[in-house]
Amino acid sequence: MTTPKYFSDLPDLQYGQTVNKAGQINYVKMKDFFRLMKPKDDIFKEDTIYTNYVVQDGERPDQISYEEYGDNQYYWIILQINEITDYYNQWPLSNRELEEFCKKKYGGIEGMNVVSHYETVQTFDENNNIVLPGGLQVPADFIYYYPAKPGSESTLSSLPAQVTFYDYERRLNEKKSDIFILKERYISDYVREVKKRGFDIKNTQVSSIKTGDLLR
């Protein structure tokens, strides 16, 4: 993913990437993203400028940017809004990547399919009332007994479900897939303020900089 054009006014930063055998640091020039502002908390909570988005299998931020805004350079806005600073650990893995990750972490297919723990299954009585919420971690021999309906002497039971290590990792990965994106009509405002931020940094030494409406 290339550096977005709207970062052109941000100052450059010499980032130490590697150290050679002589102890000399090899630097790479990059934009000083650390100077970027973040969305104001009150604005971020305002759901009129954001919309929920579910990342599809293997989908990248630049692909989402192109599909939603017609230009792949707005991927950084997607990452920033969702406070993703470590793409490799915070962005959802593809199904293939997740499987390979689990194989490596748990010692192959057999290891990743070992039971991690047991959980309750959401259970209803005959009147469709919830009598046992799902997702509670319980022992393997847990059995929940409950009346078929209020006041009934007829008793039913609910057994827990197995959750493998793969199931556990898949759930964590699915949570990463639920993100926010900025609605298209606000993109130009966001970009304008990022560019203004870069211009202000370049042209003033004053630490307190007046910001716009979306960023702080």
Side-chain angles (χ1 to χ4, degrees), residues 1-8 29-31 33 73 75:
M1 292 181 280
T2 58
T3 302
K5 291 179 289 186
Y6 49 90
F7 283 172
S8 59
K29 186 170 72 172
M30 59 179 287
K31 288 297 178 181
F33 305 125
Q73 71 165 322
Y75 70 88

Side-chain angles (χ1 to χ4, degrees), residues 44 47 50-53 77-78 81-82 178-182:
F44 186 80
D47 60 3
Y50 295 96
T51 185
N52 294 97
Y53 187 91
I77 294 176
I78 296 172
I81 285 173
N82 290 281
D178 293 323
I179 65 172
F180 292 99
I181 60 172
L182 192 67

Side-chain angles (χ1 to χ4, degrees), residues 8-196:
S8 59
D9 287 322
L10 285 175
D12 291 327
L13 174 71
Q14 294 297 322
Y15 182 78
Q17 190 175 34
T18 59
V19 180
N20 62 24
K21 293 182 179 180
Q24 297 175 319
I25 300 175
N26 296 315
Y27 291 94
V28 59
K29 186 170 72 172
M30 59 179 287
K31 288 297 178 181
D32 190 358
F33 305 125
F34 302 103
R35 301 259 195 140
L36 277 177
M37 298 169 288
K38 63 176 291 187
K40 293 178 180 178
D41 291 335
D42 56 339
I43 294 294
F44 186 80
K45 294 173 183 176
E46 180 57 61
D47 60 3
T48 58
I49 71 170
Y50 295 96
T51 185
N52 294 97
Y53 187 91
V54 178
V55 180
Q56 301 303 301
D57 180 31
E59 197 171 31
R60 303 190 310 268
D62 59 318
Q63 294 172 323
I64 296 174
S65 174
Y66 185 81
E67 287 296 323
E68 296 295 322
Y69 311 126
D71 193 325
N72 62 11
Q73 71 165 322
Y74 301 123
Y75 70 88
W76 188 270
I77 294 176
I78 296 172
L79 296 176
Q80 188 183 31
I81 285 173
N82 290 281
E83 299 184 348
I84 295 175
T85 56
D86 183 349
Y87 175 78
Y88 295 102
N89 289 305
Q90 292 178 276
W91 190 259
L93 300 173
S94 68
N95 292 334
R96 181 184 60 79
E97 290 169 335
L98 178 62
E99 184 173 343
E100 291 304 314
F101 167 80
C102 289
K103 286 179 182 178
K104 184 176 181 180
K105 182 175 181 178
Y106 298 106
I109 294 178
E110 184 176 346
M112 73 184 197
N113 286 311
V114 169
V115 176
S116 166
H117 61 275
Y118 291 81
E119 291 182 357
T120 57
V121 176
Q122 184 165 275
T123 306
F124 300 84
D125 64 18
E126 292 182 358
N127 291 338
N128 209 34
N129 299 310
I130 296 179
V131 294
L132 178 66
L136 303 177
Q137 191 165 331
V138 294
D141 58 356
F142 174 84
I143 302 177
Y144 180 73
Y145 295 98
Y146 63 97
K149 53 186 176 182
S152 171
E153 295 183 359
S154 175
T155 303
L156 303 176
S157 64
S158 176
L159 300 176
Q162 295 181 348
V163 178
T164 66
F165 287 113
Y166 178 75
D167 294 329
Y168 171 75
E169 297 290 350
R170 177 175 50 79
R171 290 178 183 178
L172 293 180
N173 198 58
E174 287 176 351
K175 287 182 180 179
K176 296 177 185 178
S177 297
D178 293 323
I179 65 172
F180 292 99
I181 60 172
L182 192 67
K183 291 183 178 178
E184 183 180 11
R185 61 179 177 273
Y186 296 106
I187 283 291
S188 58
D189 294 330
Y190 201 102
V191 169
R192 184 186 67 248
E193 292 190 28
V194 169
K195 294 177 71 173
K196 181 180 182 299

